[in-house]
Structure formats: C-alpha cells, structure tokens
Amino acid sequence: MDDATKQKTRLVLSKPFANLPVTKDLPRLAKYITICDGEGRILRSTKDLFDDSSSYDHVRDVLVTLSRIFDGDERAQQVHDSFSTVMTPMNYTLPEVLRSYVDKHLGGDSSQVVKVLKAVNQAAISSAVIELKMRLGADNTTKDVAQSWKIIILVRDDCILVRQRKRERDIQEQFEFQWELTVKLERKMAFCQDVSLQITDLMFSDKIKGQRMNEVLRLLKKYCDPALLSRKMDASLVSASRLRSQATGNIPALPQDAPAAAAPDTPTMSILRSSIPVVSPRPIPSHVGVTSPRLSTSSITPGALNDGLVPQAAVMPTTLLLPGEKVLWSNEKAFSCLQLGARDLEVIPGSVYVTNFKCLFTPDPQQLSESVLTMDLQRLTCMVGLLAVVQCRKSKTSLKGARGVPDHVVELVCKDFRVLRLAFSSPSVRKEFTDEMMRCLPARLKHTFAFRYSYKVAPAQDGWQFYDPAEELERFGLPNHQWRISEANSNYELAPSYPRVLVIPSHIQDKELSAIAAHRQQGRLPVLCWRHAGANITLCRASRPKPPASAESSSAAPTRCFNDEKLLGAIVQASVHLLGATPYYVIDCGEKDSGVARTKAAYQQAIDVNVQFLGLETMAAVREAHARLHKAVTSIRDESDDSHSKATHWMTAVLATHWLDVVRNYLAKAVEVVEVMRRGSSVLLMSTNGVDRSSVTSSLVQLMLDPYYRTISGFQILVEKEWLSLGFPFADRCAHLRSSNETQESPTFLLFLDCFWQIMEQFPCAFEFNAQFLETLFFHLYSGLYGTFLMNNDKERRSSLVRMETISLWTAINEDIESYRNPFFAEVTTALLPVVTPYTVRLWEEVYLRHQPEYFPRSQARDQWARDQLEHLADLQTDFSSRSGGSSRPSSMLDSTSRPSSLLQLHTGGAGRTGSNGQITEELAEGDPDLSAMRSRAHLAEQRAEELQQKLEVLEFCVKQQKSEAKSARRERRRTHTSSSPRKDTASSGEKSKRRPTRTSSSSSSRSLNRRQVASLNASADGTDASSNDGSASASASASASAS
C-alpha cells in the first residue's frame, strides 16, 4: 500500500463524525460485523449472510457490545434501553436521526465507540480500493461481489484492529480476488496508527489466457500475502495461484441450497477415518461462506490440460477435498508400494495429490491386479498430513522386478510411525514431488491448514469456550482466605508461557512476583494447579531457579532470592492439612546434581520442607528412545521365514529402544508422588524449564487422584489446564514448522498418552472414554486440522487469533462423543495405583503398529472380535438380569466398583464420597495412619482379586457355552449326514446311538453347573456380607464340581 494512500486514509479517519457516512452505512453493514476480544473470543457474531430482516437488531447489538467493552455493563444497558426507546424500525435507517442519537446518547466524537465506527464505512476504504483498481487498469476492471463484505473488530489491550474484507470479480468473469484492509487504532484515544492492504485469496477461470493471467499476477503481487509471495513468478506460481480457489473452471451461479462441501458420509470421510482415527469434519452449511459463486470443473477438457491452461490437479474430485483445502500438485501416473507381508511387495497404480493439508494417493480401479481387487479400500488409499511428514527421501526399495513399474521410489517417513512409498515415472517427477512436499511445509504457524479449515459452530458447541478457569477454581474451592487470583501476568510480561490468571497465596503481593519470576527459568514461578478441597492438599508447579550468570554449567548453585523463599513459605502455610501438620515436599523431576543439592540445603535452611528427586529421563533421552522405537517399528520386516525367530528379533529390537523403560519410570515416579499426597502432604513439582517432565508427572498424578479427570469433559479440561494454559510448547516439541529446531523437538505429549494408556489397560472400567479417544488425540497432534495443538503458549494463541480463526479439536470430538464412550464405564472414586513392573508395561500396538502390514489384519480382526464380544456380553448381562430377578445391575462382571470407596485413601484411611461439584468430603477414621493405609491397600487388593476372579469365571462360562454350541452343531450335521447315507454297519450305528445320550447328558449337566455357578456369582455380588460368604462358598463348590 502506498504511503500517499495511507495518509489519505488517516485524514479520513481524523475527520469529524458528522462529515463521514457512518450513520448511512451502519444499518446495511452491521450484520457483517464480528467483534472479538484480545483472546479471540467472539463477543458479537454475524448472523446468516442472506438474512436482512433484523438489521435494526444488528445495529443495536453492535452499539451495545462496543459500549460494554469500552464503558462497562451499566453503560451498555443504558445504550440498549435508550436505543429501544428513541430508535424504531421505521427511523433507524435515516442518517440524520441515527446521527442525532449517536451525538446525544453515545457522546459523539469523544466516544471510543464512535471512533471505532469511523473506520467502518465506505469512505474509510475508498482510498485503498481506488489505488487497487488504478493499479489493475482499465483492461482489468472489477466489480465487488454482492454480500461479500466482512468486518472484524478486534479489541486488544494495547490496540484495536478493524479488518474489512471484500471480494472483487473481473467483469469478464475470468479472475476473482479478496482484499483485506486492516486499520490499527490506538487503544485509549483510538487514533489511527497504521493502515495495510493485502490480497488474501486469488482464483482464475479456465477462460483466462496465460498471458493475461501472468499480467494480473504481476500487478497484484505487491498486495499478495506471504503465502503467495513465497513462490516465484514462474509456471509453478501460476498453477498454485489458480488452485487457491476451492475448484477451477467457469463461474456459474451457485444455488443457495447447494452443498458447499462433501458430507461426512462421502468416500472422502471414510478414507480419512480408515487411515487414522480422525474426527469426521463437518461440512459448511450452504449459507455460510458462500459469498461468491464457486468455480466448477465441468468444462475442463483434455486439450486445456495439455496446453497448460489448467493444471492437472484441477481434475481431482472435489469430494476428496475438505472445506478450505486446495490442490497444489498432482500426478496421475504414480504407484504406491504396499507391503503385504514380511517379503511380499504389491505395486498399486493410481494418482498422487498434494494439497495444503495432505498428500493423498488414490488407486486406479481399472488397473488393479486380481490379487488386490478383493482388498479393502482403506489399505489401498493412503493419506498423510503435511505436518506429520518427518522426511521425504529417496527409497532403497527396488522395483526392477515389477513389469512396467518405474524404479524411482520416494519414502515419506511420518511422525505417526508410518512410511508411505510412492514410485514415479522419471527422476525429474520424483524431484518435483519432493520439492513440492518440502515447499508445502509451513514456514509460519499462521500458514497451516487449520486457519483455512472452518465450518459454522454453534456457540454452545464451541470447544474454545469449553474450559472456564473460574469454574475449575470453584471446583477446587478457590479463591478463599489462603489463595487468591492474581492478574499480574495479564500482559504476559511476568511469564510469557503462563496464562493471564495465576493462583498464588493471599499474603503475596503482585509487586513481589517480578523478582520471583526473574529468579526462575523462563519466569515460571510456583503457581497452584490442583487442590483437594476437602483435605486442603495442593499440587503446584514451577521451574528450577536460574543458575548464576557467571556459572559455566547449569549444575552450579543458584543465588538465593528472598521473595522466592517467601512465596514458597506462603505456599507451605496455605497448604496445611486439615488434620494437622504434615511435611511439605518439593519434588524435583530431574537428577540430583551438585547445584540442585545446594539448592536443597538452602531451601531446608530457610523453610521446613523435604526436597526429593525423581530422576526422570531428560527430554533428550526421551527423544533418543523415541527415535530408536520409530526406527524399530518402521523396519519391522525381517527376511527370515521362521516366525519364532522373527518374533524374538522384533521383541529384542523393541526392548533395545528403552522406550518401555522410560514409560515405566515415569509411571512409577508418578505413583510415588501420589503415595506422598495420599499421606496428606502437599507437593511442589519442579523441572528444568517447568514444561516437560513436570507436565507429564502433574497430569498423571491428577488422573490417579481426581475421578473428574477420568470423564470425557474432565480430561479435556485437564489438557487445557496443564498443557495448553500452562504453556507447553506444542509447536516446538512437535516440529510443526519447516525450520524447526531439532533440539527442541520431543515426544512429551505422546509419552503422557502412552503412560495414561497403561493405566487404562489396568483399570478398563474407570474411564468414561475408550482408547480410541487417546488415538484421536495422538493423530491430531500432527494433523494440523485443528488449532488446539498448534501454538506454544496462550500468548501466541491470542496474538494469532487462533480462537477466532480455527476450530477446536474438542468441538469435533464433542459432536461425535458417543463413538468415544466406554460402555463399561463405572465411576471409581478411589485413587488409581497401577502396578508398574516390566511385565505390566507393554507396547501400545494400536498406535505404534497401526500402519504395519503384519499388524493391520490382526488389528482389524481384533476390533471385530471386540465388537462381537460387546454384543455377546450385553446379551449375557440381560440373561443374568432376568435370572436374578430383573436387577439392572445383576453382577459385577462388568463393573470394577461394586463397593463404594473414597477418592483418596489418605493417611487417615477414611472413606469418602464425591459431591455434586466434584469436591470430596471425608469421614475421618481413627487409628495408626500407616496401619490404616496398609489395611486400605490390602482391602483394595482383595477387592480387585475377587473382581478379576469373577470376570475370569464368567469368561470361562462364555467359552464353555460357545464350545457346547459348536459341539451341538457338529453333532447335528453328523446326524443329518448319517440319516441320509445307507447304514453299512448296524452294530456300530447301534453302539453310536447308545453313546450319544451319554455325551448329551454330560454336556447338559455341565451347562447346568455353569448356570448354577453364574447364579452363585450373582448372589455373592448382590447379597450381604454373610450371604456373600455363602455365595462365594457355593461358587467355589460349583466350580470344583464342574472341574471334577
């Protein structure tokens, strides 16, 4: 944008309010205005673009919302009442009447509301539009597209941004673009600070000639956004620019009732779901975002493709594209190398498409061989997200033995343990593909697909509004006389990685926090993250103190800070257990080195605390173990034909990665922290930077202690609170960008999910969600489809408008929440203490081996078997209910909580109950604390053993029942065959007929014994203690009788 145009715009905005067409344009523009706060929360949204019947309400809503932001709720109520009284649906469109109302009731030019509205009118954009049209010239005359005006008012703490977007179309309907004018206003006085003009979207029709298209690109290059400027002015830029539209071709009129995107049940969605556990994207409603007609592909001819007027990517079916997805490169003569077994390699012909979201291979059904025609489509169709690609390299796999298949293979190595092999016709095409893949990796997080993908979300279903810190603090019983809420970090100056709201002791002033933040690494001072409301047990997090500036290593002893020690002392005083004084623990997640040891001595000298060290692996060690596991999984094939030797080699390779050792160590240390807190002690968790090891440990501890976090909504809040709000750097650890620092990359969140999955395996009925929920989180960690896991901290999400311009993952999950529910869920109010041994921690096959050829059929068969077992167990439960008198819960075969127990078996050994607000009230017991804890653990162990024994007996009953049915079927078939064939030996047939009743009676008696056994199990589960003992005895007797 020229400086002269900027100056003209500033002069327009400095004019008096009465000299601008604000009141003339506001009635027709109010329905296009969206107002947001600095965090991206939508305070006022537009309604349907084709609904102009309530513009009176739109004008009032805009004025009331801006008054609430600048002047408060009381002033907003006054504006609402006065507008409803003075203005009517008959006179609000008269500029003189509306101007008089604004001068009298809003304050005229002295009001901030009026100063912001001065930027929302035709005069404010006229200078920029004139410059744009003059640059295009008379040969490229354009006209604005009807109902394409979008206005976003973003009110930040330091400034106000007014963004206006509008679409322009060539009068010959050969090209169309969208410009965006951004006016930056000062926050208090609302004077203009800066003006900028950009072109954010550009599309061409197939009727345009190549020479004219290049001329248009040259003229508009000055205004294109960085995504377009990243490509040079050559043929590749021409193709990419054409494909920035959602499709390519002529510009026919689009009916309003035409679907704007593929429905969730299209083949595309099934491909996505089959490749990975992806949440089904929702289509865009027909009236949302369709501000201009779509470009169709119906008129594209092969001649146009050969002439280069339209790129080959334009022929990709639009049903394979998500809303906002655009094809950047394609090749129809490609091959996918599918590994069917340890040594079998099948080559599938098809097409490869590279979009701004994924790399997709689709098979050609007409060229498939007979050996793959019977295979499932999900094995032949391959989809890889761009953010999931680790490396695009030349493959060592040779295809010289395959007839008619080129030997130019590329391997796409992915972060989700997948390797996609593609073959191309020539080395030049292969190089073009690899260059395009590397070029498509975003250089900035703002260029990821999440900012392009969108659909209309109801405010009640918006996942960004799901987590409310105030409600979570209320569940903790905060604030109270010991803890208060501080807004010292409201501008992210205290700690950039912390949220704006912090919970600190009431005796600490905000002015003391600056010195404490300067004393801690990355400014992460100790803050509260969880509290047991009934027992006043707290869990806090912080980073280590900084080493001295003159120290040569990080192990040097840090200098002491009086304010830091004062804050720690206040935390200790605010965390006194209700039953009496208990030791406070400062637990460092790292190793015990000399510097930290001196810090321990300093802390213990100043404050009465116990300092312990967990010795957890560093992120570098975790990264190395993950790299070894990735290499072992992606090279799972072995040339040996001996299945036993292959299994031995595979298990040896997995154990050599030490990934399971890392998982087991993190789980074991989390259990140790839980044991400390169950004895009534509060804990402060520390790590080097306060975001990696402490995030994993803190989340696992809260999952084991608090049953609320084992629900679907509770787990989402846990991730929002411990990972997103407290500043876990997802962008750095997941390496989302092209120029990511390898030393910052680490699979920390995957480690947490793996540890959590190990707990779910030992307590399958204690969680409301199933393992597919965790698999979906892992996939979308690298998918780039949603904005949840994109940024490093809350500050970056706020500045990048993530909440306003992207969809939350929780939105999609909650829309399809039933597919993630655990049918066997029964709330467990006790603390979960998993058994951590080398035999109980196993590999998460559903994630690490999901895409391996030898595991794929086994996983599909296992999933089908699981579904069959669910149906069969449901029938058995109904049968048991009818036998036990119609009880809705006949036995504990599917319920691991047949007896009530407390959330926390603290050192008092008391039983507790969970209230409606999640707080736990405890009934205290008398006696020795250590003895009570041992007795409670022994009692829990007996309960678990009894429940497992009952489940085992029921499963044995199911197996015997199935075997009996199979035997009956075989006998029936044999009897039918015998009756139809002539009798050769009467004596032998007579002997057989004599033996048959014996077997039948024995099977029936065995079946009757099993029924008595089930009845005794029901009686033992539902009776009193005495009847329970009798039922157990009868169950043992019946079991011994059946065994005999």
Side-chain angles (χ1 to χ4, degrees):
M1 191 173 182
D2 297 338
D3 294 337
T5 305
K6 291 184 179 180
Q7 185 63 23
K8 291 179 181 178
T9 305
R10 291 191 181 98
L11 291 176
V12 170
L13 297 178
S14 63
K15 292 182 178 181
F17 165 71
N19 297 340
L20 294 176
V22 177
T23 55
K24 178 182 177 181
D25 294 339
L26 185 60
R28 66 184 180 90
L29 298 180
K31 63 181 179 180
Y32 302 132
I33 297 178
T34 300
I35 304 176
C36 306
D37 63 0
E39 296 182 352
R41 289 193 295 263
I42 298 178
L43 305 179
R44 195 266 173 189
S45 62
T46 59
K47 296 186 178 180
D48 295 348
L49 299 180
F50 302 101
D51 181 14
D52 57 355
S53 61
S54 58
S55 55
Y56 173 84
D57 297 330
H58 283 300
V59 174
R60 181 180 58 188
D61 193 21
V62 169
L63 296 179
V64 171
T65 304
L66 291 177
S67 300
R68 181 180 295 108
I69 294 175
F70 297 119
D71 303 325
D73 294 339
E74 184 177 355
R75 177 60 177 166
Q77 186 63 38
Q78 295 176 0
V79 172
H80 180 275
D81 297 340
S82 62
F83 188 91
S84 302
T85 304
V86 177
M87 308 302 297
T88 66
M90 302 299 295
N91 65 2
Y92 81 100
T93 57
L94 300 177
E96 296 80 6
V97 178
L98 185 58
R99 185 183 303 115
S100 175
Y101 169 80
V102 171
D103 286 334
K104 182 178 180 180
H105 296 275
L106 294 182
D109 290 313
S110 62
S111 171
Q112 281 189 304
V113 176
V114 176
K115 292 180 180 179
V116 172
L117 291 179
K118 287 166 64 175
V120 185
N121 58 85
Q122 191 73 34
I125 68 171
S126 58
S127 300
V129 174
I130 291 173
E131 176 189 335
L132 193 60
K133 290 181 177 291
M134 291 182 63
R135 184 170 183 82
L136 286 172
D139 296 336
N140 300 313
T141 305
T142 61
K143 60 181 179 180
D144 60 324
V145 179
Q147 297 181 344
S148 64
W149 207 332
K150 299 180 181 178
I151 303 171
I152 301 175
I153 301 176
L154 181 62
V155 183
R156 295 180 175 176
D157 293 339
D158 55 344
C159 66
I160 303 172
L161 297 179
V162 180
R163 294 178 177 175
Q164 305 188 57
R165 299 172 182 173
K166 202 170 186 180
R167 302 194 71 87
E168 298 280 341
R169 184 185 303 162
D170 174 32
I171 59 175
Q172 301 178 11
E173 295 188 345
Q174 293 187 359
F175 68 90
E176 180 180 320
F177 62 89
Q178 175 180 275
W179 56 262
E180 178 180 288
L181 179 67
T182 303
V183 178
K184 183 178 180 181
L185 304 176
E186 197 270 336
R187 179 64 170 84
K188 294 183 179 180
M189 303 302 296
F191 61 85
C192 181
Q193 293 181 334
D194 191 17
V195 183
S196 62
L197 177 65
Q198 278 190 344
I199 291 180
T200 58
D201 195 12
L202 178 61
M203 61 183 77
F204 296 92
S205 171
D206 64 336
K207 294 191 298 184
I208 192 172
K209 300 298 182 181
Q211 182 178 0
R212 187 189 182 194
M213 182 175 60
N214 291 331
E215 178 66 16
V216 172
L217 287 172
R218 185 184 64 81
L219 295 173
L220 297 181
K221 180 181 178 181
K222 175 182 178 181
Y223 306 100
C224 292
D225 64 355
L228 286 176
L229 291 178
S230 62
R231 300 178 181 272
K232 297 180 180 179
M233 287 292 297
D234 54 10
S236 62
L237 173 61
V238 174
S239 301
S241 302
R242 289 173 178 169
L243 293 170
R244 292 191 61 78
S245 64
Q246 296 178 359
T248 306
N250 292 329
I251 309 180
L254 181 70
Q256 295 183 10
D257 57 350
D265 55 352
T266 57
T268 309
M269 298 300 102
S270 61
I271 291 172
L272 289 174
R273 286 194 294 265
S274 60
S275 301
I276 27 77
V278 62
V279 178
S280 304
R282 297 297 186 269
I284 298 180
S286 58
H287 60 275
V288 178
V290 188
T291 57
S292 62
R294 287 212 180 191
L295 304 179
S296 67
T297 60
S298 58
S299 60
I300 297 178
T301 61
L305 291 175
N306 296 332
D307 295 339
L309 299 180
V310 179
Q312 295 184 11
V315 301
M316 179 179 179
T318 56
T319 55
L320 298 179
L321 296 176
L322 297 177
E325 188 176 5
K326 304 171 182 64
V327 182
L328 306 178
W329 186 89
S330 69
N331 186 276
E332 296 181 348
K333 297 181 179 179
F335 299 86
S336 173
C337 308
L338 183 63
Q339 195 82 22
L340 299 180
R343 306 173 71 178
D344 299 332
L345 186 67
E346 186 69 33
V347 180
I348 312 298
S351 302
V352 174
Y353 302 95
V354 179
T355 71
N356 56 347
F357 169 54
K358 63 178 179 286
C359 174
L360 176 67
F361 174 83
T362 58
D364 187 357
Q366 299 179 358
Q367 302 183 30
L368 295 180
S369 61
E370 297 181 357
S371 58
V372 297
L373 282 176
T374 58
M375 297 177 59
D376 194 357
L377 178 63
Q378 62 181 344
R379 294 206 62 190
L380 305 181
T381 305
C382 305
M383 193 276 289
V384 174
L386 295 181
L387 296 186
V389 177
V390 178
Q391 188 178 9
C392 184
R393 66 191 182 191
K394 182 180 178 181
S395 176
K396 299 179 181 179
T397 304
S398 178
L399 302 179
K400 294 182 178 179
R403 180 179 301 179
V405 178
D407 193 23
H408 307 290
V409 185
V410 176
E411 285 185 350
L412 292 180
V413 183
C414 304
K415 301 173 186 176
D416 56 355
F417 298 87
R418 193 171 8 169
V419 177
L420 177 61
R421 293 175 175 85
L422 301 173
F424 298 96
S425 57
S426 63
S428 60
V429 178
R430 178 178 63 185
K431 185 178 184 303
E432 183 181 354
F433 170 75
T434 55
D435 294 344
E436 187 69 26
M437 286 295 299
M438 293 297 101
R439 196 160 43 234
C440 289
L441 295 179
R444 296 173 54 192
L445 292 173
K446 195 74 174 179
H447 298 163
T448 55
F449 179 69
F451 289 89
R452 302 278 183 179
Y453 174 67
S454 64
Y455 56 89
K456 188 175 182 180
V457 179
Q461 298 177 351
D462 189 4
W464 292 119
Q465 312 296 334
F466 186 73
Y467 170 58
D468 187 359
E471 292 182 1
E472 185 68 2
L473 293 178
E474 183 181 357
R475 199 176 68 88
F476 296 156
L478 300 176
N480 54 20
H481 66 283
Q482 297 173 329
W483 299 90
R484 71 178 182 91
I485 298 176
S486 172
E487 297 182 356
N489 197 39
S490 59
N491 295 326
Y492 302 100
E493 297 177 355
L494 190 66
S497 60
Y498 267 173
R500 303 176 65 185
V501 176
L502 305 176
V503 180
I504 60 175
S506 301
H507 302 295
I508 302 298
Q509 303 298 323
D510 289 347
K511 60 183 180 181
E512 299 174 329
L513 299 180
S514 300
I516 302 174
H519 179 66
R520 295 278 178 171
Q521 298 188 32
Q522 299 184 7
R524 298 178 66 88
L525 66 157
V527 294
L528 184 139
C529 60
W530 184 81
R531 178 177 180 266
H532 186 291
N536 195 32
I537 300 174
T538 62
L539 178 65
C540 299
R541 287 177 53 182
S543 63
R544 284 181 178 178
K546 291 181 180 178
S550 59
E552 299 180 356
S553 64
S554 60
S555 61
T559 58
R560 295 183 61 179
C561 176
F562 172 76
N563 289 332
D564 185 75
E565 295 176 359
K566 179 181 178 181
L567 174 60
L568 184 56
I571 292 176
V572 173
Q573 293 179 0
S575 304
V576 176
H577 193 274
L578 295 181
L579 298 179
T582 54
Y584 191 92
Y585 282 81
V586 176
I587 299 181
D588 194 303
C589 298
E591 297 286 347
K592 181 179 180 181
D593 51 31
S594 57
V596 179
R598 287 191 289 270
T599 306
K600 172 182 177 180
Y603 273 140
Q604 291 179 337
Q605 181 181 359
I607 309 167
D608 185 14
V609 296
N610 293 333
V611 181
Q612 302 294 335
F613 300 91
L614 297 181
L616 295 174
E617 288 81 357
T618 62
M619 288 301 102
V622 174
R623 180 171 61 249
E624 294 174 359
H626 177 266
R628 291 191 295 266
L629 179 65
H630 191 283
K631 182 179 180 180
V633 170
T634 53
S635 58
I636 193 174
R637 302 164 190 85
D638 191 271
E639 296 298 330
S640 175
D641 293 332
D642 186 4
S643 59
H644 177 72
S645 62
K646 285 197 298 183
T648 303
H649 176 76
W650 158 243
M651 291 306 301
T652 302
V654 170
L655 294 177
T657 63
H658 299 291
W659 175 257
L660 297 180
D661 297 336
V662 173
V663 174
R664 183 171 66 252
N665 191 27
Y666 269 80
L667 265 179
K669 299 306 180 180
V671 172
E672 292 182 6
V673 177
V674 171
E675 290 286 5
V676 170
M677 300 184 69
R678 290 176 70 244
R679 292 195 295 268
S681 297
S682 297
V683 171
L684 168 63
L685 284 176
M686 290 197 315
S687 62
T688 304
N689 52 15
V691 295
D692 289 299
R693 290 177 285 189
S694 59
S695 297
V696 177
T697 307
S698 175
S699 301
L700 292 176
V701 168
Q702 295 179 51
L703 278 168
M704 296 179 192
L705 290 178
D706 198 336
Y708 174 66
Y709 294 136
R710 303 168 202 161
T711 63
I712 296 179
S713 59
F715 186 81
Q716 294 175 5
I717 288 180
L718 177 67
V719 174
E720 285 279 348
K721 176 173 65 74
E722 292 296 316
W723 296 85
L724 300 178
S725 181
L726 287 179
F728 179 78
F730 280 101
D732 294 339
R733 296 298 184 263
C734 300
H736 287 326
L737 298 181
R738 184 190 312 166
S739 58
S740 298
N741 188 357
E742 294 183 357
T743 59
Q744 295 294 325
E745 183 180 0
S746 182
T748 309
F749 194 69
L750 172 60
L751 175 62
F752 162 67
L753 294 179
D754 198 336
C755 294
F756 183 31
W757 179 81
Q758 306 290 341
I759 301 176
M760 289 184 64
E761 285 294 290
Q762 297 191 29
F763 303 94
C765 302
F767 299 91
E768 187 183 8
F769 45 88
N770 51 29
Q772 185 183 354
F773 182 82
L774 302 183
E775 298 169 20
T776 302
L777 292 183
F778 171 68
F779 167 73
H780 287 295
L781 184 64
Y782 302 111
S783 70
L785 189 61
Y786 302 100
T788 305
F789 300 131
L790 282 186
M791 302 297 173
N792 284 327
N793 49 57
D794 193 58
K795 179 182 179 181
E796 292 185 5
R797 294 184 191 91
R798 183 186 178 194
S799 61
S800 301
L801 305 181
V802 172
R803 293 177 177 270
M804 185 181 68
E805 299 183 1
T806 66
I807 304 296
S808 173
L809 174 60
W810 313 129
T811 302
I813 287 180
N814 293 334
E815 289 177 351
D816 193 24
I817 197 171
E818 293 302 325
S819 61
Y820 301 105
R821 290 193 185 277
N822 180 10
F824 301 138
F825 170 66
E827 185 179 4
V828 179
T829 56
T830 56
L832 302 182
L833 297 177
V835 179
V836 184
T837 65
Y839 304 101
T840 57
V841 177
R842 63 185 187 89
L843 191 68
W844 192 4
E845 296 181 351
E846 289 80 1
V847 167
Y848 304 129
L849 303 182
R850 182 181 186 86
H851 305 286
Q852 300 307 316
E854 294 183 350
Y855 175 75
F856 191 93
R858 182 157 57 94
S859 64
Q860 300 300 310
R862 186 194 57 200
D863 295 342
Q864 183 62 37
W865 178 87
R867 287 190 291 268
D868 296 341
Q869 292 303 312
L870 285 177
E871 297 177 358
H872 186 59
L873 288 176
D875 296 339
L876 286 176
Q877 188 174 10
T878 304
D879 185 24
F880 291 162
S881 300
S882 61
R883 296 179 185 178
S884 58
S887 175
S888 59
R889 294 184 55 163
S891 66
S892 60
M893 69 170 185
L894 303 179
D895 187 359
S896 61
T897 58
S898 57
R899 298 176 178 83
S901 52
S902 64
L903 165 70
L904 292 176
Q905 299 293 340
L906 299 173
H907 70 284
T908 58
R913 56 184 180 274
T914 304
S916 58
N917 60 349
Q919 300 179 1
I920 300 102
T921 59
E922 299 197 19
E923 299 174 1
L924 305 180
E926 299 179 356
D928 185 27
D930 296 335
L931 182 59
S932 300
M934 294 177 60
R935 287 178 178 175
S936 62
R937 294 193 62 183
H939 182 62
L940 288 176
E942 292 176 359
Q943 289 184 6
R944 293 172 186 169
E946 182 181 353
E947 292 163 1
L948 290 176
Q949 180 65 24
Q950 293 177 355
K951 293 179 182 179
L952 179 61
E953 292 174 353
V954 171
L955 290 178
E956 289 178 354
F957 166 74
C958 297
V959 172
K960 291 180 180 180
Q961 194 75 7
Q962 292 176 358
K963 288 182 178 181
S964 177
E965 294 174 356
K967 288 181 180 180
S968 301
R970 286 197 300 269
R971 286 197 299 269
E972 185 65 26
R973 288 196 300 270
R974 193 180 299 115
R975 186 181 301 108
T976 304
H977 177 71
T978 304
S979 61
S980 61
S981 61
R983 297 184 178 180
K984 296 183 179 180
D985 191 353
T986 307
S988 60
S989 62
E991 294 175 358
K992 291 180 181 180
S993 62
K994 292 179 181 179
R995 288 195 297 267
R996 282 172 190 154
T998 304
R999 288 199 300 265
T1000 304
S1001 60
S1002 63
S1003 61
S1004 61
S1005 62
S1006 176
R1007 192 178 302 113
S1008 63
L1009 286 175
N1010 287 325
R1011 291 175 179 173
R1012 289 198 302 271
Q1013 182 182 357
V1014 171
S1016 65
L1017 288 175
N1018 295 334
S1020 62
D1022 297 335
T1024 59
D1025 293 338
S1027 61
S1028 176
N1029 296 332
D1030 297 339
S1032 302
S1034 61
S1036 302
S1038 60
S1040 60
S1042 61
S1044 61

